[in-house]
Amino acid sequence: MLNTPVEEIMTEHVVKISEDATLTQAAHILLRFQISGVPVVKSDDNNEVIGIITTTDLLKILDEALSMHGHKLTALDVVSGLKVRDIAHSN
């Protein structure tokens, strides 16, 4: 099993998200597909992967905002103005 080529077990139809997507859209994709991370692609036609966004990234943003502003904010307040490109990890 450990010698199995990656191509035999890899996912061929990868879920991805545009860098222009909102964090709300990213959260929806992570929940809908029950995944912990999603590749972020350029918004042009190339679909070049430029990073990844994870559930941990979303939780960090929420935690930082709540720490700065107390509990006066809702999760929607925190993510409504941000785009995926603002927090995606790049290589």
Side-chain angles (χ1 to χ4, degrees), residues 3-59:
N3 294 324
T4 304
V6 173
E7 67 183 15
E8 290 184 21
I9 60 172
M10 69 182 187
T11 300
E12 292 183 30
H13 303 287
V14 178
V15 176
K16 58 189 181 274
I17 192 166
S18 168
E19 65 181 333
D20 292 329
T22 65
L23 295 187
T24 303
Q25 291 168 318
H28 177 74
I29 286 174
L30 294 171
L31 288 170
R32 178 175 174 214
F33 292 99
Q34 298 179 352
I35 54 179
S36 61
V38 62
V40 178
V41 297
K42 284 192 169 249
S43 54
D44 59 20
D45 291 332
N46 293 341
N47 280 332
E48 175 187 349
V49 175
I50 58 171
I52 187 168
I53 189 165
T54 66
T55 53
T56 301
D57 296 327
L58 295 176
L59 289 172

Side-chain angles (χ1 to χ4, degrees), residues 37-86:
V38 62
V40 178
V41 297
K42 284 192 169 249
S43 54
D44 59 20
D45 291 332
N46 293 341
N47 280 332
E48 175 187 349
V49 175
I50 58 171
I52 187 168
I53 189 165
T54 66
T55 53
T56 301
D57 296 327
L58 295 176
L59 289 172
K60 283 180 183 178
I61 292 293
L62 183 58
D63 182 58
E64 289 173 13
L66 291 175
S67 294
M68 290 174 51
H69 301 287
H71 296 285
K72 299 174 189 172
L73 296 174
T74 67
L76 186 57
D77 293 330
V78 174
V79 300
S80 63
L82 294 173
K83 298 283 186 183
V84 168
R85 77 167 72 87
D86 297 328

